[in-house]
Structure formats: C-alpha cells, structure tokens
Amino acid sequence: MRRLSIRLNGPWTGPLTAAVGMLLVFTLITGVVYPLAVTGVAQVAFNDQANGSLLERDGEVVGSRWMGQPFTSVEYFHSRPSAVEYDGSASGGHNLGPTNPVLLDEIDRLAGEYRQVNGLAADADVPVDAVTASASGLDPHISVANAVLQADRVAVERGVPVDEVLRLVDEHTSGRTLGFLGERGVNVLELNLTLDGLSSRS
Amino acid sequence: MSGAGWVQFVVLIIVLLVTAPLLGRYIARVYGDEKKAPGDRVFLPVERLIYRICRVDPEREQRWTRYALSLIGFSLVSFLALFGLQRLQGSLPLNPVELPSVAPNVAFNVAVSFTTNTNWQAYGGESTMSHLTQMGGLAVQNFVSAAVGMAVMAALIRGLARRRASTLGNFWVDLTRGTVRILLPLSFLVALVLISQGVIQNFNGHTVATTVEGARQLIPGGPGASQIAIKQLGTNGGGFFDMNSAHPFENSTVVSNFVETWAILIIPFAMAFAFGRMVGDRRQGRAVFGIMLAVWGAMSIGAMLTESGGNPRLDDLGVSQTITEDQSGGYLEGKEVRFGPAASGLWAASTTGTSNGSVNSMHDSATPLGGGLAMAHMMFGEVSPGGVGVGLNGLLIMAILAVFIAGLMVGRTPEYLGKKIQAAEMKLVMLYVLAMPAVLLTFAAISAVYGNALGSLNNDGPHGLSEILYGFASAANNNGSAFAGLDSSTTWYTTTQGIAMLVGRFLLIIPVLALAGSMVRKERVPASPGTMPTHTPLFGGLVVGVVVIVAGLTFFPALALGPIVEHLSL
C-alpha cells in the first residue's frame, strides 16, 4: 500500500502556523491582560469615573454627570434637542445635510417653540445650540447664552430670585480648561438637581 | 473662529513638535538595525517567549515575498477569527445584555474593516457587539492591524536604507515589537488619562437610572477606555459606541478631547522622524514632517473656519451663530457644546488626514465645505500625516513620484536617497497611486445610479452624492469615518465597501513591499552636484503639489457635483 504523503512544508505552512500562534498570543495580551490591567487600575484610582460618573438622589441613580437627559417641564432648564431622545442605549445625530428642508423646517419649528416657552419676542435671536441636535444625542451641556435666556422662566416658575438662578448657572458652567481648551458649557442635569435641592430645603 | 480656538490649534502644534521627535527617536530604535533598544530588559523576555510559542526565529530575515506572504497569512487568520467570533457571540460568555450573533454580511464587513485598520462601522457598537467581541476581537485587531501597518513602514525604510541587500527584516518580529514596545505602553497611559476624565472602564451591563422627570434611562457600561486609547493611537477609529468620540462616555471633557486629538496624530507624525533617523539623514525626516504638517495644518484651519462660520440658512430663521463669550457659535447641528465648532473642525481634519476615522462631530451634518474638506483630505491618499506606518509609506510614494516628475523635467535619472528610480519602481508607484481612486470612483458611480444602493441615502441631491462619495473615500482609504446618514448595513454596501477596504489595504501594501524589495538591492550612489536635494522647502513644495494635483485631477469632477455644488446652493 502506498502511503499518502502530505507536504507540510509548502510556502504557506510556516506563515499560517506563526499567524495562528501570534493571533492567539496577542488576543491574550491585548484582548485580556491589557483591558483587565486598565480596568484594575481604573477601578482603584478612578472608581467613580470608570463606572460612569453616576449621580444619585435619595440613594437612587438619577443619571450620569456626562449623559444628558430630556427635560420638558417649565421649572427645569431644558437640554438641547436630541435625535435619539437621550436614549442611553443608543446614540446618534440627525445626519441631515445643512440644506436639507426637513432639517431646516425642524429648526424653524424648534426656534418658534423656544421663543414661546421662554417668553421671547417673535423675532428674537435664538442661540444655535438650543435648536440643533448634538452629535451624540446625549449632550450634557447647553451654552451659557441658552441658559441665561431660560433663567427668567425657571426663576418665575420656582419663585426663586433670578439673581439666585443666574448664580447657580454660573456655578455649573465649566470654563475653558487652562483658559483655551474647548468651550464653556452649562451642565443641565447637575444644574436642575441643584435647583430641586433648593426647593426641598425651603 | 474664536481666539481660544486658535490658541488650542497652536498649542496642539507645539505639543506635537515636542513629542513627535522624541517618540520618533524611540521608534527608530525599535525597528532599527542596532542590536540594543531602550527597555530591552522589560520587553525582550516577553518577546522571546512569544517567538518561542509561535516558533518564529527572530534572527531569520525575510525577502519581500516572504514578508508579504507572512503579512497576508496573518491578516487572513485574523479575518477568519474575527468573523467566527461575531457569528458565535450569542452563545459565548461576556454578553451581559444578551445580544444575538451578528448577521453574516455585517460580520464579513466588520471582519474586513477591523483587520484592514479601517474600522468602518456598519453597526452600532452598544447595540451589536458583546463585551467579548469588543475585547477579544475588535480591540485585538485595533492593536495588531496597526502594528501590521507599522511593520510595512519599517520594511520600506529598510529597503531605502540598506544597500545591496536582499532582505527587509522579519514580519513577525516587527509585528511583535510594534505591539509590545510602542502600542501597548502608550495605550495604557492614554487610557488612564481618559478614565480620569470620565471615560468608562468596567464590565457592567446597563445601569438603569430614573431621570429627574421620572423616565427610565439606560446608562451603558463596558471596557471603553482601553479600546478608545488604542483606537486613536493605532489610527483605527472604530468606536466603542455608535456615535464614537462624540459620545460623552468616549470623550467626556475638553481635556479628553485634546488628548484624543493628540493620540490620533502622534504616531504618524513621529514616523517622519523615525524615518530620518533610520535612513541616517535626519534632514529627510524633518522635510517629510514639514510636508505632513503643512497639509494637515491647512486642512485643519479650513475645517475650523468653515464650521465656525455657521450655516447661512439658519440666519434667516432667527438663529444666532455668532461667536461670543457666552456661546461657541458656529454651526452646531451634529456637534457637542463642549467641543464647539473649532475643536470639531480640528478633529475632522485630523481624523481624515490620518486613517483614523473616529469622529467627535457628525460629518454628515457639517457645512458643505467642511464635509468636502474632510472628504478631500482622505482623497489625498491620507498622507498628512496618514495612518500609523501606511501614512509615511504613502508620502514616500508621493516623494518618489515627485523626484520622477522633476527628473523628467530636467532630463536626469531620478534618484531618492541615493537610490535610482527606474521603470520597475515607477510601475509599482503607479499601481499604488491608481488602485485607490479606481475602486473608489467605480463603486461610487455604480451606487449613484443603482436603485438598491440609493435606498440607503438619508439626503437628496448633491448631499446624497456626498454621502456615497464619502463612504467609498473612507473605505478605499481605510479611514472608517462616515457621512453616517448612509445606511451601510445593506448587502450592497457591506459587500462593495468590504472589497474597497481590501483593495485599499492590500493593493497598496503589496506594491510598497515590492518596491522595498527592489530598492533594497540597489547601491546608494553618492550625491553629486546634479542630484536633486530632497530635504529642501522647494522639494517639500513639489511633493505637496504632486499630492494635490494627483487628487485634484482624479476627484475634482466628483467633488464638484457633491460638496461644491451644495456650497454654491447655500
């Protein structure tokens, strides 16, 4: 009987065995050891941040410092429009081009609504962040200009002096880091939580 | 643009000018021909163990054919493993929210995408991939596909530096050293900085929050930061979340944003300095760096200015886009307040000049010129500064093309770094230059008339064409960013873009290796008075001209029908 001979040293066998070995080794190093090491250090050194910077109220998780929430009632500062309605299990923007009539109609409608809710004149300028959706759909911030325009409404609805509300807005405004990095923004969730804290104390 | 926007841009350049030469010097030692390199005491034992397990002889050098074969074999095995992992994730552990296995066409696209360092995402991360797939599949390819690109660069540089030799190094050694000595330590540091800013790193599923107004909000969990660090450093760009680095859990503050922008750019820029050192003429490295910086800088300024300028259509609606102390102004649709138009524009130019493709704003929503600049930056072939390794390769190809054109003009045999450029080399250069546009324009043209493909569009008119063009520019250049309105999860797009990514990877890498194999045999002739110096600003200008003219002649008609006509209609 003739024995079948299988060539095990063709041009492909060397590279393929090395490839399988390399992939396994690097899966172990970069796919297991590395993320576990990072997680280990992170959970010790930056426990709060690594777990999502969660905010609690009365012992219950009310949200994350970095994830925006939708606000509809008049006594709260309102977040930016969101293409995903601040759904934390999704994220996304409109992805409509700058001349798309669907987008422009939506912006027009939102601007009218914003003027009405905040008691502005029919031809008043509306801050751009108040009528445009963010990239993530989870933007935690609004611009200072947007917050200032909402402050009167919030103060009246809550029976708090406007100066006090504006002071809180200022308190929750993140400045430019080192004076030049990024833009100033107001963290809406933290601001509203502080406002709720005021009324529960009085 | 705001004053702070300009300051931020200048500070980034200064930080790059300080860090890139330092990292470049280190990289040159990692891939260089000297026996010793910094950190040997820590890294060598690990590497020796890896070589022993994989039965690789690190001393055995490879000719270009063997080098290419090893590279292709590794990519093939990676592809098969990643495809299998996605198809089986439904019945595998580390899947806290019980996601099903990935559909075959999407799994094919993703497997190609991540093994080619493209990281185009035809899926939403948080709703498709289990923690196991993210960590054991996608994150691994983030490392090794980047290390493959760097290995090819090392081989090309050796081809230029060595004389009358036949081998280009050992692929397995380059793969190992690039991962262990460059990508892993840097990623570890960047990941920790990101976590300190609020980027998540845990193994939880969703945390259920009851919002202030009593609604239910799911707060996602997962090992984000470890993957985000390498996605930026390895110019991968595939996000842990659907909305990539716009998502607050991927990029929570302006500090994390600055660090991620730096991380996108640092290795590609450092490669220029590594190149100068490895060929023994640091002026050559500085010249290459200067070319990269000039093109990237110009495109960045353009994108920052157009986005800060706002969308004139909104002025008619009574929307204020003015830049004041109290608002960033500019066109904020698809942008985050904390970044504003300047940092968004800067990122858009940086992610398309490299092969990164992560985004911190929605490019589909950008102004026509801003989106067009990002598209054009990819069409330049991603050489400013380009992907890790492959970017420098692209630029050296352009430099060779430039000396060839200059040689034709003065009637001399062109040479680069003392090596004569002859017909064989020019054929390979032309193959490299033509492969990407051919696949990009062919598929884009078919998609613009094919009904099934048109159904994927989210916008009509010129912006719809832009979505198609951008998608294939991204795939063919292994970028991975998108005009994300395009639904690319259809069979048509997963297939054609998969092919475009394969062409953009292997039809570029193989000619580069062949070129290296041909150059390595040549003697380096000493410079004579007739030699054209390749470290001068004049030569730099010539290379920039070649880059812009080649892309312009190829893509201007298509760009005219997309972003340019849309801009004129504003």
Side-chain angles (χ1 to χ4, degrees), chain B residues 204-220:
Chain B
N204 310 335
H206 295 307
T207 304
V208 181
T210 309
T211 66
V212 173
E213 292 197 334
R216 188 164 163 271
Q217 190 182 40
L218 294 176
I219 298 177

Side-chain angles (χ1 to χ4, degrees), chain B residues 375-424:
Chain B
M375 212 183 302
H377 212 185
M378 292 189 287
M379 289 165 171
F380 285 169
E382 284 172 354
V383 292
S384 47
V388 289
V390 289
L392 183 72
N393 291 344
L395 197 72
L396 294 180
I397 295 278
M398 288 299 166
I400 291 172
L401 188 55
V403 290
F404 176 73
I405 291 171
L408 284 184
M409 287 194 279
V410 295
R412 283 184 165 276
T413 308
E415 53 194 60
Y416 187 61
L417 304 178
K419 298 212 166 187
K420 286 200 163 57
I421 312 290
Q422 288 157 312

Side-chain angles (χ1 to χ4, degrees), chain B residues 1-293:
Chain B
M1 185 163 64
S2 66
W6 284 109
V7 176
Q8 170 176 267
F9 177 57
V10 172
V11 169
L12 178 62
I13 292 179
I14 294 171
V15 172
L16 286 169
L17 282 172
V18 173
T19 51
L22 290 174
L23 183 62
R25 187 163 71 183
Y26 178 73
I27 292 174
R29 298 286 295 276
V30 169
Y31 293 115
D33 282 338
E34 301 157 62
K35 278 283 161 220
K36 282 191 166 58
D40 273 348
R41 251 198 306 174
V42 184
F43 298 125
L44 261 187
V46 181
E47 288 163 5
R48 288 205 180 112
L49 183 66
I50 295 175
Y51 301 145
R52 202 170 329 138
I53 295 172
C54 303
R55 294 194 208 154
V56 167
D57 176 5
E59 304 299 324
R60 198 170 147 197
E61 291 245 333
Q62 298 170 323
R63 291 168 191 270
W64 85 264
T65 41
R66 191 78 183 166
Y67 201 100
L69 207 63
S70 304
L71 186 151
I72 293 168
F74 183 71
S75 300
L76 184 69
V77 170
S78 297
F79 165 83
L80 292 173
L82 187 52
F83 182 80
L85 190 59
Q86 294 176 79
R87 295 290 293 139
L88 296 174
Q89 73 169 19
S91 29
L92 292 173
L94 273 181
N95 187 4
V97 288
E98 296 184 354
L99 296 162
S101 293
V102 183
N105 65 327
V106 175
F108 161 77
N109 185 277
V110 172
V112 169
S113 169
F114 277 74
T115 48
T116 57
N117 197 249
T118 308
N119 304 32
W120 173 273
Q121 292 175 292
Y123 63 95
E126 58 271 64
S127 54
T128 317
M129 299 297 175
S130 74
H131 289 350
L132 181 73
T133 311
Q134 295 261 24
M135 261 172 54
L138 304 182
V140 174
Q141 285 306 320
N142 272 280
F143 278 97
V144 293
S145 71
V148 167
M150 299 197 296
V152 178
M153 176 216 69
L156 176 59
I157 296 178
R158 292 187 194 117
L160 293 169
R162 293 177 180 177
R163 50 187 73 178
R164 290 190 174 281
S166 59
T167 57
L168 298 172
N170 181 308
F171 171 74
W172 307 111
V173 172
D174 291 340
L175 176 71
T176 306
R177 286 171 77 97
T179 310
V180 172
R181 293 181 185 238
I182 301 169
L183 296 173
L184 267 171
L186 270 177
S187 300
F188 193 80
L189 291 178
V190 169
L192 290 184
V193 175
L194 295 183
I195 296 165
S196 77
Q197 295 300 310
V199 177
I200 57 168
Q201 180 74 23
N202 58 56
F203 288 102
N204 310 335
H206 295 307
T207 304
V208 181
T210 309
T211 66
V212 173
E213 292 197 334
R216 188 164 163 271
Q217 190 182 40
L218 294 176
I219 298 177
S226 55
Q227 189 167 328
I228 292 156
I230 182 59
K231 95 166 183 196
Q232 308 299 23
L233 287 162
T235 57
N236 293 283
F240 193 79
F241 297 108
D242 197 10
M243 282 310 117
N244 213 294
S245 285
H247 195 295
F249 277 174
E250 282 213 15
N251 191 358
S252 38
T253 67
V254 294
V255 175
S256 67
N257 189 65
F258 187 82
V259 171
E260 288 187 36
T261 312
W262 172 84
I264 290 173
L265 297 165
I266 180 61
I267 295 182
F269 271 128
M271 289 300 181
F273 293 103
F275 160 71
R277 283 178 179 272
M278 286 173 73
V279 297
D281 184 354
R282 284 156 67 183
R283 296 172 309 174
Q284 303 291 343
R286 285 198 288 267
V288 166
F289 177 79
I291 296 166
M292 290 172 164
L293 191 72

Side-chain angles (χ1 to χ4, degrees), chain A residues 34 39 73 80 100 126 133 139, chain B residues 201 213 226 320 334-335 337 459:
Chain A
Y34 161 72
T39 310
S73 23
R80 297 180 65 189
N100 194 311
V126 175
D139 197 338
Chain B
Q201 180 74 23
E213 292 197 334
S226 55
S320 161
K335 292 185 184 63
V337 163
N459 288 276

